[in-house]
Amino acid sequence: MVVGDSPKGWLADAFASLLEEKYGRGRVPGVRTISADISAANDGQKISHGHVHHILTGEADNLTDRTRSLLARFFGRPATVFLQPDQSGEPEEDLVQVLAARLATFDSAQMSAIEEAVRLVSTSRARTK
């Protein structure tokens, strides 16, 4: 998935790109159909066609966890696809320190579970590239 720097923003670009992947270039239906398809893929849980429109036009620049989860299931992608990418590429120093302090309190079973989760995510990402 290639996401450009359009004036609409990263989320609109990512969403439009995923829709083209799913439906085919030039075959993306209207927002009402997209909304209905999202609902069908999520056992009836909906994202309104108005919200779909706002995402596509760039009026929505972030998503709730619920919306992110529904879209992830619809597109068959991890929910992290709908998180704004870090522009710097560098983690915030305070966040790293907080995480390190928290990890220091975990026992070996908890650390093993975290290592396994990281391995699973890394393997999944490698397959989608």
Side-chain angles (χ1 to χ4, degrees):
M1 173 179 71
V2 177
V3 179
D5 284 330
S6 79
K8 291 182 181 179
W10 73 271
L11 181 58
D13 289 347
F15 191 60
S17 179
L18 287 167
L19 288 170
E20 284 193 351
E21 271 184 39
K22 184 162 189 74
Y23 292 105
R25 184 170 289 261
R27 301 185 59 144
V28 176
V31 294
R32 289 182 188 273
T33 300
I34 295 168
S35 179
D37 290 349
I38 292 169
S39 178
N42 285 283
D43 303 319
Q45 293 185 60
K46 295 194 243 182
I47 298 174
S48 74
H49 68 274
H51 193 46
V52 170
H53 171 78
H54 290 303
I55 295 168
L56 280 170
T57 60
E59 294 174 55
D61 58 359
N62 60 29
L63 302 173
T64 64
D65 288 340
R66 178 187 172 278
T67 300
R68 192 175 302 111
S69 294
L70 295 176
L71 290 174
R73 187 169 180 191
F74 172 65
F75 287 113
R77 297 291 184 95
T80 55
V81 168
F82 301 101
L83 294 174
Q84 185 170 11
D86 180 18
Q87 299 301 317
S88 70
E90 297 293 322
E92 295 179 32
E93 187 175 330
D94 290 342
L95 181 61
V96 172
Q97 290 175 351
V98 169
L99 181 60
R102 179 70 177 118
L103 289 174
T105 67
F106 290 171
D107 64 31
S108 61
Q110 290 169 315
M111 289 303 295
S112 293
I114 291 169
E115 289 170 353
E116 178 64 11
V118 168
R119 186 190 66 72
L120 289 171
V121 169
S122 297
T123 302
S124 174
R125 283 187 179 171
R127 280 190 234 139
T128 60
K129 288 185 179 181

